[in-house]
């Protein structure tokens, strides 16, 4: 319930700035991966909202979220959320450099997966 509320709050810039000051992105990274599928989905959705703010995106990158998201892609869990968040994290130059080794796997995942949510209409 708290994560759903934070996700809604994360739409407004002033709230996101407070969340950035609290380093919420780094704290949320501890929940990825998670055996509780619903909890993991809520965390990834909140992280996606936060990732539009440069400071929050930097916190997520520092917390090693790229590697964690790539591992989620390999497992097949929450692929659509992982791809969205990876795209947002790739806006950081340093993070993009870390992802270059995984480009073949990313492309293969998007091309070979039957999940229509990975490819926008």
């Amino acid at each position: 319930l708290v994560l759903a509320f934070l996700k809604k709050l994360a739409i407004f810039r002033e709230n996101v700035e407070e969340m950035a000051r609290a380093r919420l992105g780094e704290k949320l990274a501890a929940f990825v991966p998670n055996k509780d599928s619903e909890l993991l989905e809520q965390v990834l959705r909140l992280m996606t909202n936060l990732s539009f703010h440069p400071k929050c995106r930097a916190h997520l990158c520092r917390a090693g979220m790229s590697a964690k998201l790539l591992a989620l892609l390999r497992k097949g869990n929450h692929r659509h959320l992982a791809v969205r968040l990876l795209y947002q994290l790739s806006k950081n130059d340093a993070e993009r450099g870390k992802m270059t080794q995984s480009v073949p796997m990313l492309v293969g995942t998007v091309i070979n997966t039957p999940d229509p949510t990975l490819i926008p209409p």
Side-chain angles (χ1 to χ4, degrees), residues 6-27 46 49-57 59 62:
L6 286 172
K7 184 180 140 246
K8 290 180 188 289
L9 288 176
I11 296 171
F12 301 102
R13 184 165 203 74
E14 21 335 300
N15 296 333
V16 175
E17 289 172 5
E18 278 300 315
M19 291 176 192
R21 275 193 278 282
R23 297 182 173 272
L24 183 60
E26 291 176 5
K27 294 170 183 167
L46 174 55
N49 283 4
L50 294 175
S51 69
F52 286 90
H53 189 281
K55 285 183 183 176
C56 290
R57 189 169 46 244
H59 294 157
R62 270 196 298 272

Side-chain angles (χ1 to χ4, degrees), residues 5 17 25 31 34 56 71 74 82 88 90 99-100 110 115 117-119:
F5 183 64
E17 289 172 5
F31 293 99
N34 200 298
C56 290
R74 287 185 193 101
Q88 285 299 113
S90 74
M99 291 182 199
T100 55
V110 171
D115 186 354
T117 61
L118 287 182
I119 303 170

